[in-house]
Structures are given as C-alpha cells and as structure tokens.
Amino acid sequence: MNKFLKFSSLFMVLLVMASCSSDDDETKEEKPAEVLVTNITIIGNDITDGKPINLSADLAPSDATNTNVNWSVSDKKIAEVSLSGVLTPRDNGEVTVIATAKDGSDVTGELVIKISGVTHGTVLKAENMLLWQRSNGGWPKEPHNDFSGYNREQTAAEKAQAISEKENTDTTIDNDHTIGEIRTLLEAYKQTFNPAYLNAAENGLKYLFEAQYDNGGWPQYYPDRSGYRYQITFNDNAMANVMELMWDIYKGENDTENFDESYRASAKTAFDKGIEVILKTQITVNGVKTAWCAQHHDVTLQPAKARSYELPSISGSESVGVVRTLMLVESPSSEIKQAVQDAMQWFEDAKLYDIDTKKTTTNGQADVVVVSSPGNIIWARFYDLQTNEPFFCGRDGIKKKTLAEIEQERRAGYAWYGNWPSKIETEYKNWKSKLGI
C-alpha cells in the first residue's frame, strides 16, 4: 500500500472516531438537568375524632424531578406517620408533621396538627402494675412474685396496701421484676397507646439507670442494702435480664422503639458498663479464667455469699446468662471473645457424666435423689472455687460433697443440677461462625 492510501485510511479512522466522540458529547448535552425541590407544603387538617387522616405534600416547582418525601413527626407519643403519609393519632395534643424531600435538597415542609377525640383502652394486667409501682419507679417482688396475681382484679385490701406502700424501697430486679413489668407495660402501650403505660415504663427505666453502680453492676435490690441485697447479682439471670432490656432499647427492638430516642444512648452506655464489670468479675482459678459466681461483692467484685446455702462458688447455672449477654455484643473486643471461649471451656470441663436426678418421695415428702444414667450429661449448680468439684449446702451453711448429705427440704426445694450450658451450645457455634473463630 502506497503512502497516500495509508494516509487516507488513517484519516478515515480519525474522522469516524471524531464523529463518535461528537455523538457522545451531543448525547450528554441532551440529558436534562435535575430539577430540585425548592418548597414543600403539607396538606392536612386537624383531627377532632381521634381517627387517622391522609396527608399529602405539594412540592414546588411543579416539574421537580423527584417528588418523593420522607414523613416524620415531632412527638411519637402524640401521633405516628406512615411512609405514605397516613397520620395515626396516639394521644390528644399537638404534633408537628415534617415532610423532607428525598432528592438531597434537604428542603422540608411542616404542619402543626391539633389532635382531639382520642380515647384509650386499658389492660387489666398493666393497670395492676401501675397500682403496685413504687414511687421510685421500680416494683417489689411481693405480693405478686410469679406475676400471676397481676392477671386478676385486685381486692380492696390489695389496693389499699399498694397505695400505702408507694414510698417503700423494696424495689428489685429479682425474679424478673421491674424488667418484666416494663416489658408488659410496653406491650400494653403498643396495643392501646395509653400514655400512662409508657410513662410508667419510662419511670421504671429511669429506676434501672439510677440503680446501676458506677462499676457497671446492678444489685438485686435498690436502694435497700440489707443482707446480701446490695451485691452485684447474676442469680436467676437478674443482671442479664436488665442488660438484655438495655440492648433492646439501644437497638429499638421488642416494643422499646416507643421509648424516647434520647434513652438509646443512655441504654448503650449502661450496657457497655455492664459488659465491663462482667469481664472484671470472671473468676480465675490457678491462672485460668472460668465462669462467674451467682453474686459478687459490689466493691471488691469477689464471689460472695447470699443465702446460707448459696456460698461463694463458680455457677453452672447463672454463668450461662452471663455468656449469652457477652455474645450480644456485635463487634466484640478480643477480651470479650476470650471471656466467652474461656467460659465455654469451663462448661466443658465441668460436665458430669452418667448421672441424673429423679424426683421421689421420702417419709411422705417430696425428695430428689441422684441416679445412674449412662450417657447423660448434666452440670452442678455450684462448683468449689479451688477444686472445681461440685458441692451442696443445706441451711446450716456447711459444704457437702453429695446431694444426699443435705436435708430433705433443701434437696427438693432447690435446683442443684441442670443442663443449663447445653442451651447455649448452638448459639455459641453460630457466634463463632459469625466472627470467623
């Protein structure tokens, strides 16, 4: 090919490329510019009958590219608004509705709506919890220790008693109290939007914030410090229940989303402090981390005695709730990971093989005996802090090596053996898998 032909071919290639480039430029130029929202007017009326209304948003300019908005309200206790702009009243009062442009312009429109005509239903169980709530925000364990008494109309004597004891300081987290009442009230509020239920739940939450020690622990009772009530209490999952509630509030889950959002940060702080004291109270034996006692001293953090038969020990029961709480942490530190792994290893080492318990009768009274059960695995409630051997204790406060050595009343009246750690084996496997351990 001569030079002229080569030059001609090259010229044609360049011409085609230039043409394509020109076409691309023209295409880009033809794309219309985005038109942003400059003003939003919310269209709606006051509510006089307590029923929901549909709101709409009028956007300017009329040719705005993105006409979608996000809806919100100034006070969720007064009303809630759906993604489509349906305003549902919760209480009588005044609320500001806000519509925010979704095109990134940050333009908002607001409308103040007065709400009246709202009536609230009641829930008997919740009403009874309002009655028994102490003035400090917490609840006592008696007279409704198992919660069943809340399900019926209170007698005149009970009502008078509850009112006369409002200032008592017998408030507790034992046997799921205060936490259990708060959760029930939140559920009742979700059903009825009765503000009394949410207010009572918030007062209960404030009580829990106040009851937490600076080191992160929660006592079984607050402010009562008599006996062993002041100790940091893992017994019966007392502290674990509080921390699970704090976690739910932080995450806005399990009906806690109705709490004011300002409580979320406080709940997260309380939860984190609780994790700190859990790490500090993990018992070390001969340089090896194990598990936890059912209760620890509020200052020294050492394993502590509660009732006469609840001596300082490593707990095969309460430690399970502690480990489950540690596994809630979404991005655990290396210290948290190690604490969980060490506790699970202790559970493995503390297994008791080929035995089980059997309910029986002795001298016409209920009893519990240990029987042979090949292949079975269980754990003891208490393990010695030095030897890691199971022990049992009657009301005389003296350690015994076997269940048969303590009095019949205590044998049958307390959970000395159980399969507690087996209940978190699957959770632990999932936890390790999630973290790549």
Side-chain angles (χ1 to χ4, degrees):
M1 182 181 295
N2 59 38
K3 291 182 179 180
F4 176 77
L5 291 176
K6 288 182 178 180
F7 176 78
S8 298
S9 298
L10 178 60
F11 177 77
M12 292 299 294
V13 170
L14 292 173
L15 186 62
V16 170
M17 291 177 63
S19 175
C20 291
S21 176
S22 178
D23 291 343
D24 290 342
D25 290 341
E26 290 177 2
T27 301
K28 292 179 181 178
E29 291 175 1
E30 290 174 359
K31 183 178 180 181
E34 182 178 11
V35 179
L36 298 177
V37 173
T38 59
N39 185 70
I40 298 177
T41 301
I42 299 176
I43 301 172
N45 302 308
D46 289 342
I47 296 176
T48 58
D49 59 2
K51 296 181 180 179
I53 61 171
N54 291 309
L55 302 172
S56 61
D58 185 14
L59 279 59
S62 58
D63 60 345
T65 304
N66 187 341
T67 58
N68 296 314
V69 297
N70 285 322
W71 292 97
S72 60
V73 292
S74 60
D75 190 345
K76 293 190 296 183
K77 294 180 182 179
I78 302 298
E80 62 179 349
V81 63
S82 71
L83 296 175
S84 61
V86 177
L87 185 70
T88 301
R90 290 183 170 186
D91 199 7
N92 298 309
E94 198 171 86
V95 68
T96 300
V97 181
I98 305 102
T100 304
K102 296 181 71 173
D103 61 2
S105 64
D106 294 327
V107 172
T108 63
E110 296 185 359
L111 179 65
V112 176
I113 293 182
K114 295 179 180 179
I115 299 175
S116 59
V118 176
T119 57
H120 301 291
T122 59
V123 176
L124 177 61
K125 192 171 186 178
E127 291 293 314
N128 288 332
M129 288 178 177
L130 296 183
L131 176 68
W132 286 101
Q133 187 175 26
R134 301 306 196 210
S135 295
N136 66 9
W139 278 266
K141 189 166 66 172
E142 301 297 346
H144 300 313
N145 192 0
D146 66 355
F147 286 78
S148 64
Y150 286 131
N151 294 326
R152 58 171 173 76
E153 185 71 30
Q154 303 296 278
T155 66
E158 286 173 328
K159 291 177 181 179
Q161 178 187 350
I163 293 171
S164 69
E165 294 177 352
K166 280 292 181 182
E167 301 304 319
N168 284 14
T169 57
D170 53 351
T171 39
T172 182
I173 60 171
D174 192 25
N175 289 3
D176 200 34
H177 281 282
T178 298
I179 301 90
E181 281 90 351
I182 289 173
R183 289 195 180 278
T184 299
L185 287 166
L186 289 175
E187 183 180 356
Y189 176 72
K190 190 173 182 179
Q191 295 172 7
T192 65
F193 295 137
N194 190 324
Y197 300 158
L198 184 58
N199 290 337
E202 287 186 349
N203 289 333
L205 178 58
K206 292 173 184 177
Y207 164 82
L208 293 176
F209 286 144
E210 182 180 334
Q212 187 178 28
Y213 291 141
D214 289 341
N215 61 22
W218 272 276
Q220 186 182 59
Y221 282 75
Y222 177 84
D224 185 356
R225 290 183 60 85
S226 63
Y228 55 85
R229 293 182 170 188
Y230 66 91
Q231 294 169 355
I232 296 171
T233 304
F234 298 126
N235 192 26
D236 292 333
N237 289 322
M239 187 164 148
N241 289 337
V242 179
M243 291 186 66
E244 184 178 0
L245 175 64
M246 295 298 170
W247 183 256
D248 282 347
I249 294 169
Y250 165 61
K251 301 295 290 183
E253 297 175 345
N254 296 321
D255 298 333
T256 64
E257 65 275 6
N258 288 311
F259 276 133
D260 190 281
E261 290 199 6
S262 63
Y263 289 120
R264 289 194 179 188
S266 299
K268 181 60 163 57
T269 297
F271 179 87
D272 289 344
K273 287 173 63 179
I275 292 295
E276 289 177 11
V277 81
I278 285 175
L279 296 176
K280 291 176 181 177
T281 51
Q282 190 169 17
I283 299 167
T284 300
V285 178
N286 297 324
V288 178
K289 291 281 189 180
T290 60
W292 292 264
C293 185
Q295 53 278 321
H296 289 252
H297 192 272
D298 66 321
V299 177
T300 68
L301 305 185
Q302 294 302 305
K305 175 185 175 181
R307 288 172 287 191
S308 59
Y309 50 90
E310 295 171 326
L311 304 180
S313 64
I314 308 173
S315 173
S317 171
E318 277 70 23
S319 295
V320 172
V322 178
V323 170
R324 181 174 279 125
T325 301
L326 288 173
M327 290 194 297
L328 283 175
V329 180
E330 291 175 320
S331 299
S333 64
S334 57
E335 188 178 7
I336 293 174
K337 293 177 184 177
Q338 193 61 53
V340 172
Q341 291 175 291
D342 288 342
M344 293 302 295
Q345 182 58 55
W346 181 81
F347 288 142
E348 181 67 25
D349 297 339
K351 285 179 177 179
L352 303 174
Y353 297 90
D354 302 326
I355 60 170
D356 202 352
T357 57
K358 180 181 179 181
K359 292 182 179 180
T360 184
T361 302
T362 301
N363 300 324
Q365 299 295 319
D367 202 351
V368 174
V369 296
V370 177
V371 297
S372 174
S373 182
N376 192 48
I377 297 173
I378 58 174
W379 286 262
R381 183 70 172 263
F382 302 132
Y383 291 78
D384 187 88
L385 289 168
Q386 282 73 45
T387 66
N388 204 43
E389 293 293 323
F391 73 83
F392 310 86
C393 191
R395 293 188 182 275
D396 59 6
I398 301 174
K399 287 184 181 180
K400 307 294 193 306
K401 289 188 176 181
T402 66
L403 183 61
E405 294 177 75
I406 67 173
E407 65 268 28
Q408 179 180 330
E409 179 267 335
R410 279 297 80 200
R411 288 198 302 266
Y414 200 68
W416 295 101
Y417 289 99
N419 64 346
W420 312 286
S422 66
K423 298 176 182 178
I424 60 169
E425 289 176 352
T426 300
E427 295 172 50
Y428 178 57
K429 290 177 182 178
N430 293 339
W431 178 82
K432 287 198 300 180
S433 177
K434 181 181 70 173
L435 297 175
I437 298 176

